[in-house]
Structure formats: structure tokens, C-alpha cells
Amino acid sequence: MKKISLSLDIVSTGKYIPSAVITNDDLEKMVDTNDEWIVSHTGIKTRHKAVGEDTSDLAYKAAKDALEKGKVDPETIDAIIVATITADFASPSMAAIVQARLGLNHRDITCFDVNAACTGFVYALQMATALVNTGPYRHILVIGAEVLTKILDYTDRNTCILFGDGAGAMIIRQGQPHQKAFFYTASEGDIEDVLSVKEILRMQGRRVFKFAINAVEKSINRLLELDEARLDQVTKIIPHQANYRIIDGVAELKKIPLNKFFLNLEHYGNTSAASIPIAFDEYTQEQPLREGDKIMMVGFGAGLTWGGVVFTR
Ligand code: UT7
């Protein structure tokens, strides 16, 4: 592939987490598991569940949060992209539903959804960044939103303990020339159902675990190569929040201090396409980005898909 540097300016971020919580103790009442096993094997303590809300509701609320935090006029949003594998329905897209909920129906806006599972937000951000660099787009709203609890089998202890619901949003525009962004996205078609959703989510955990460590390592290496940067120049890595042991494994493999990674998975579990934008929102609320900061985001998931972005503020 050609090496292309795009420019990316993140105007604001937002999130929405439904209030109902599923604790490890709650799961102990449903399947043969316990808090000690879940924490030691995953790092997850709680995850949230949407009650009476679906994916478009979560997406809309995260979008509202990003618009409000950035004081962005919704009338300047020229495209909406939603990454999800748990859309309320197949069509219309969640992006079109969010457009309507934001009251922007009278405007010409590009709206579509992206399905790249847990790498979905990275893919969506890549599309959005390409559009703002080449098209007549002022602001693009990029959302990752999932209600995974509706596709979980609460009799399968291998999967039901891992996932939760939530949404994260980001508003972007074309950046200054020094605000460079490099993307790397990849896929390896899987016909063996290593990780799939056919009505219900099914997964071969061990195989996904091994793939994930390899995918994160490969993505970090490729992004550093594209940016001609060293790891010590990266301010923070926002990984897909799937399992503490996956991040710990990568940290050990690449000799990266664990505090280089931002982690919040103990609160939300794996929220698939929503996990990176939720984590990035929380990171930037704690630590607003400064000029020169270099941020890396890395995702992996069903497809199998993986990839990331590295950008400089
Ligand atoms: O976005 C990507 C999505 N997916 C992932 O990131 C998942 C990646 N994989 C993983 O995170 C890990 O493979 C798991 C957390 C899913 C499982 O951990 P593991 O250390 O790979 O366990 P395992 O699947 O090899 O199973 C070890 C044992 C088995 O029992 P036996 O056969 O040794 O008696 C499992 O049945 O642990 C058992 N087990 C559990 N025990 C208590 C599996 N799930 C549970 C559970 N509670 N929830």
C-alpha cells in the first residue's frame, strides 16, 4: 500500500454509558464463574447494560455529549459515520437515525455505518479522516456504539462475562499540516467462526487471545514505521479494551511500560466498536491533549480485523 499522511484535528469527544451495571457477582448467579476467575483472567469488574435503549439511542447520546463538550454547531456536521455490529436493525443505518435525532434531516449529509467489529472505530475514523482531507466536509461525527448484551448468551461463561454496552463519539476536522495522522487497517477473512455474531456472539477465546497479541504488536510496529517515530515519542496508546492480559502480554513482549496504555476495561468490559472512543474520551477528560502529543489507537476483532492510527496534536 502507498504511504499517505493525512491531517487530523480532533475537535471534541463524548460518551454515553447506560446506567445499569452487571457485576461479577451478578454473573456468578447466571453461570459457573466467580469474581476471582473473571478479574484474574480479564481484569473486568463491571460492565453496563442498556435497558429500554438500543444502539441508536446510545449513539445519539454520545454524539450530543461530543457536540456539547466541543460547543460545535450541529449545522456544521457534514457527515456521520457509526461503527457498530449491533445496529437496531439492518436499515436504515444508525448514522441516518442519529442524523434525524439531531434534527439535521433538512441538510445534505453523508451518513453510513461501518462493520469491522471491535476494529470498527479505527476503520470509521480512517474513512472520516480521508473524507475531511479530500471532500467538502467541515466537521465529521464519528461514533462507535454497541448494545452487545442483546447478542450475548447468558448461559455461555466463555463470552457473557466479557462484554458490555456503551457508545463513544468524536468530532473531527481537517488539521494543520503538522497534525499528521497515519492509518493502518487490515483483515484476514475467517470462515471458521473464531469470533462471529450469527444472532448470538460465539468465540474461540484462546485463538482470539493469541491473534490479539499478535495484531496489537503488528499494528504498533506498522504505525511507528509509517510515522517514522519511536515508541518513547508516543504519549499514550489507547488500545481496544478487551482483556487486561492482552495488553499486559503486548507490554511485556515489546517492553512497553504498562502506564503507556490507557485502560478502563475494569468498568465497562469489552464494548467492541465503542471501546476506543469511550477510552479516548475518558483519557482526554483526565489529560487534555497538548500540542505535540502523539496518540496511538489500536484495535482488533472479528473479521478477523485489526489496525490503528497514530496522530500528532
Ligand atoms: O474484541 C475481541 C474479543 N475477544 C477477546 O478479546 C477474547 C480473547 N480471549 C480471552 O480474553 C481469553 O481467552 C478468555 C478470557 C476468554 C478466556 O481465558 P483463558 O485463560 O484463555 O481461558 P480458557 O478459554 O483457556 O479456559 C480455561 C478454563 C477452562 O476450563 P477447563 O477446560 O480448563 O476446565 C474454561 O472452561 O477456564 C474455564 N472458563 C471459566 N471458568 C470460570 C472459561 N470461562 C470461564 C469463566 N469462569 N467465566
Side-chain angles (χ1 to χ4, degrees):
M1 275 189 210
K2 288 191 291 184
K3 173 175 162 169
I4 289 184
S5 134
L6 300 165
S7 71
L8 168 64
D9 185 22
I10 294 168
V11 177
S12 68
T13 62
K15 71 166 187 204
Y16 175 73
I17 310 288
S19 58
V21 173
I22 303 178
T23 65
N24 291 347
D25 289 346
D26 293 332
L27 289 164
E28 219 173 298
K29 294 177 194 122
M30 302 178 207
V31 286
D32 181 14
T33 190
N34 56 73
D35 178 62
E36 196 279 325
W37 193 98
I38 299 174
V39 173
S40 63
H41 283 73
T42 71
I44 301 166
K45 292 183 180 159
T46 54
R47 63 295 285 145
H48 289 244
K49 179 178 166 61
V51 180
E53 293 178 307
D54 212 339
T55 299
S56 63
D57 301 301
L58 274 53
Y60 164 70
K61 289 177 181 174
K64 282 286 278 182
D65 189 36
L67 286 162
E68 280 162 21
K69 277 197 203 131
K71 297 188 176 56
V72 176
D73 177 0
E75 295 289 330
T76 65
I77 300 291
D78 293 324
I80 303 173
I81 307 177
V82 178
T84 186
I85 52 164
T86 52
D88 307 6
F89 31 68
S91 185
S93 68
M94 294 299 94
I97 300 294
V98 171
Q99 176 193 17
R101 295 280 300 273
L102 290 174
L104 299 174
N105 271 351
H106 60 287
R107 294 218 18 252
D108 296 337
I109 301 183
T110 305
C111 289
F112 63 95
D113 290 357
V114 166
N115 176 345
C118 304
T119 325
F121 187 80
V122 169
Y123 271 65
L125 186 59
Q126 182 180 35
M127 298 303 113
T129 308
L131 288 177
V132 285
N133 277 262
T134 54
Y137 300 92
R138 289 166 294 174
H139 289 123
I140 299 188
L141 176 57
V142 193
I143 304 168
E146 304 283 12
V147 176
L148 292 160
T149 53
K150 71 184 177 190
I151 53 160
L152 290 180
D153 173 357
Y154 281 98
T155 64
D156 177 11
R157 68 178 182 175
N158 293 296
T159 52
C160 73
I161 59 148
L162 296 172
F163 299 92
D165 303 337
M170 191 184 272
I171 296 170
I172 70 156
R173 65 182 170 203
Q174 187 171 20
Q176 299 298 315
H178 71 274
Q179 295 178 299
K180 285 186 179 16
F182 296 92
F183 286 87
Y184 161 62
T185 46
S187 177
E188 192 177 291
D190 159 41
I191 51 169
E192 287 179 57
D193 282 356
V194 174
L195 178 54
S196 64
V197 181
K198 294 172 183 170
E199 309 275 320
I200 292 295
L201 187 150
R202 299 274 174 230
M203 181 184 72
Q204 298 172 31
R206 267 287 148 99
R207 286 182 68 179
V208 178
F209 191 90
K210 282 190 194 135
F211 149 75
I213 293 192
N214 187 31
V216 176
E217 193 207 6
K218 204 163 23 174
S219 300
I220 292 174
N221 291 346
R222 183 76 185 120
L223 292 168
L224 290 175
E225 199 180 288
L226 286 166
D227 197 17
E228 295 174 21
R230 300 184 312 272
L231 251 179
D232 61 87
Q233 294 173 305
V234 175
T235 317
K236 210 73 175 178
I237 304 174
I238 317 289
H240 168 45
Q241 310 282 318
N243 182 330
Y244 173 82
R245 280 165 55 225
I246 292 174
I247 305 309
D248 193 44
V250 174
E252 198 168 302
L253 196 68
K254 289 204 57 71
K255 307 272 173 283
I256 305 174
L258 249 183
N259 64 6
K260 180 78 89 180
F261 294 90
F262 181 83
L263 294 174
N264 64 1
L265 62 89
E266 72 171 274
H267 306 299
Y268 309 123
N270 181 342
T271 56
S272 191
S275 95
I276 291 177
I278 292 172
F280 184 67
D281 177 70
E282 293 195 348
Y283 170 62
T284 50
Q285 291 304 301
E286 272 175 29
Q287 174 60 65
L289 293 187
R290 291 159 300 204
E291 196 169 331
D293 276 355
K294 202 180 271 302
I295 303 293
M296 194 180 266
M297 296 172 173
V298 185
F300 53 87
L304 297 164
T305 55
W306 67 95
V309 55
V310 60
F311 60 86
T312 306
R313 179 73 174 173

